[in-house]
Amino acid sequence: MSSVALQDAVVAALLADAAVAGFVGTRVHDNPPPGTAYPHISLGPAQGIPLSLDCIEMWDEYLQIDVWTREDGSTRGCKEICAAVKRALHGVALVLDDPAALASLVVEQVRVMGDPDEKIAHGAIPLAAEIDDQA
């Protein structure tokens, strides 16, 4: 399934990127365990939309990357991590597990906002990918 292949490749790319790792270490999670230290990255909502193109099975895949920092209300660190995530993923030719192949990967935007816990900042980075899924 192309969404799983995309998720695995995105997590691997974030863990392998020196700038991202400099901020979060190995704290990149699908579902962070309770008590995960800040800052960390988690995977947010995902969506796949099939495209039928002349005998080619394509998918538009969307995946949100969430960045979480705890800096007594400051958003500065969150913005820095979001910028590192963007540099690590935007336009990068990630290799997906067979039979899926990535045609494009785009960071659509970067948003940084507060959280109900006023000491936490939340960054949301939606990704759009076009995937050739010959499964």
Side-chain angles (χ1 to χ4, degrees), residues 110-121:
V110 175
R111 294 178 316 166
V112 175
M113 62 210 96
D115 186 80
D117 179 337
E118 294 177 0
K119 294 183 179 194
I120 295 175

Side-chain angles (χ1 to χ4, degrees), residues 76-96:
R76 180 178 170 77
C78 191
K79 290 174 182 175
E80 290 176 329
I81 298 169
C82 286
V85 169
K86 179 187 179 287
R87 285 190 301 273
L89 298 175
H90 184 70
V92 174
L94 299 178
V95 176
L96 305 184

Side-chain angles (χ1 to χ4, degrees), residues 7 10-33 36-44 63-70 77-78 80-86 88-89 121-125 127:
Q7 174 178 318
V10 164
V11 169
L14 292 173
L15 290 170
D17 186 84
V20 173
F23 289 112
V24 301
T26 60
R27 295 183 304 275
V28 178
H29 304 282
D30 181 4
N31 184 22
T36 298
Y38 290 91
H40 65 266
I41 294 173
S42 64
L43 302 181
L63 175 63
Q64 181 172 299
I65 307 299
D66 291 307
V67 173
W68 303 93
T69 61
R70 186 178 181 100
C78 191
E80 290 176 329
I81 298 169
C82 286
V85 169
K86 179 187 179 287
L89 298 175
H122 176 200
I125 306 162
L127 305 175

Side-chain angles (χ1 to χ4, degrees), residues 1-2 5 57 96-102 131-135:
M1 182 175 204
S2 61
E57 188 66 32
L96 305 184
D97 290 337
D98 285 332
L102 183 66
I131 297 174
D132 180 355
D133 190 3
Q134 297 300 316

